[in-house]
């Protein structure tokens, strides 16, 4: 019997696991946790995306896991390198909350959560990866854990029941 490891990823990080291991991240407020997986190969990758566009980066080198427009492509490459099959990849999303209330004066710049979700979905569509389930928006932070063997994404939200998608 193998020991199950829970691989933890932090903000602006990504990682890949194979069953029986699981992958988790916490602190998903306006950030988005994107999981790309191949259930048949029991392999999954997760990225903790912080911002929608790498054009927001300051300086030269960028952390590709930090931005939706770069993280999805990099995560696909990692999952495929770990044995995932491009045509069988699926995605699940969580996060993208509007954590603070702002007046209309803040405009689109203050909608980071919604913009993160939009950009992740745009990138997944670009690579023809269907989103099979999501738990996005709202006003609460989330902790998520993905099980590549079952394809279940467990979502814990403050003051709410555990949800599985």
């Amino acid at each position: 019997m193998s020991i199950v490891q829970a691989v933890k990823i932090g903000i602006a990080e990504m990682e890949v696991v194979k069953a029986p291991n699981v992958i988790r991240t916490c602190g998903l407020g306006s950030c988005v946790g994107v999981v790309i997986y191949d259930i048949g190969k029991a392999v999954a990758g997760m990225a903790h995306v912080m911002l929608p566009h790498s054009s927001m980066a300051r300086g030269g080198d960028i952390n590709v896991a930090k931005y939706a427009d770069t993280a999805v492509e990099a995560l696909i490459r990692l999952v495929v390198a770990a044995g995932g099959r491009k045509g069988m990849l699926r995605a699940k999303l969580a996060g993208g909350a509007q954590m603070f209330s702002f007046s209309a004066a803040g405009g689109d710049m203050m909608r980071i959560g919604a913009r993160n979700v939009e950009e992740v979905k745009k990138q997944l569509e670009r690579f023809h990866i269907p989103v099979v389930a999501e738990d996005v928006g709202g006003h609460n932070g989330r902790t998520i854990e993905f099980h590549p063997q079952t394809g279940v994404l467990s979502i814990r939200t403050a003051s709410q029941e555990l949800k599985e998608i």
Side-chain angles (χ1 to χ4, degrees):
M1 186 167 170
S2 57
I3 296 172
V4 176
Q5 285 189 314
V7 175
K8 295 175 185 147
I9 63 167
I11 295 173
E13 293 180 351
M14 68 174 64
E15 192 63 65
V16 173
V17 296
K18 291 182 177 184
N21 297 332
V22 299
I23 191 164
R24 83 169 53 120
T25 193
C26 60
L28 289 174
S30 58
C31 295
V32 173
V34 56
V35 176
I36 298 175
Y37 65 99
D38 178 340
I39 193 76
K41 296 290 186 177
V43 61
M46 181 185 288
H48 187 132
V49 173
M50 193 174 161
L51 294 167
H53 296 283
S54 56
S55 61
M56 302 170 111
R58 297 187 188 109
D61 293 338
I62 67 162
N63 172 357
V64 295
K66 186 174 184 177
Y67 305 98
D69 69 330
T70 55
V72 171
E73 182 173 5
L75 189 57
I76 292 166
R77 275 197 242 109
L78 286 176
V79 172
V80 169
R85 301 160 293 176
K86 271 190 183 174
M88 300 303 290
L89 298 180
R90 302 292 179 262
K92 292 188 178 185
L93 311 176
Q98 180 67 42
M99 297 300 290
F100 307 101
S101 296
F102 294 101
S103 67
D108 199 47
M109 283 305 290
M110 301 316 291
R111 294 178 49 252
I112 296 292
R115 290 172 50 224
N116 281 340
V117 172
E118 290 164 13
E119 188 61 33
V120 166
K121 286 181 174 182
K122 179 178 161 186
Q123 293 302 319
L124 289 166
E125 189 175 304
R126 180 177 152 221
F127 292 101
H128 311 290
I129 297 176
V131 176
V132 296
E134 62 183 69
D135 182 43
V136 298
H139 299 283
N140 294 310
R142 296 166 172 91
T143 294
I144 63 172
E145 182 174 276
F146 187 78
H147 304 259
Q149 197 153 18
T150 62
V152 171
L153 181 63
S154 301
I155 304 158
R156 188 169 304 281
T157 305
S159 73
Q160 292 183 15
E161 296 280 324
L162 179 70
K163 182 188 289 187
E164 292 184 338
I165 62 173

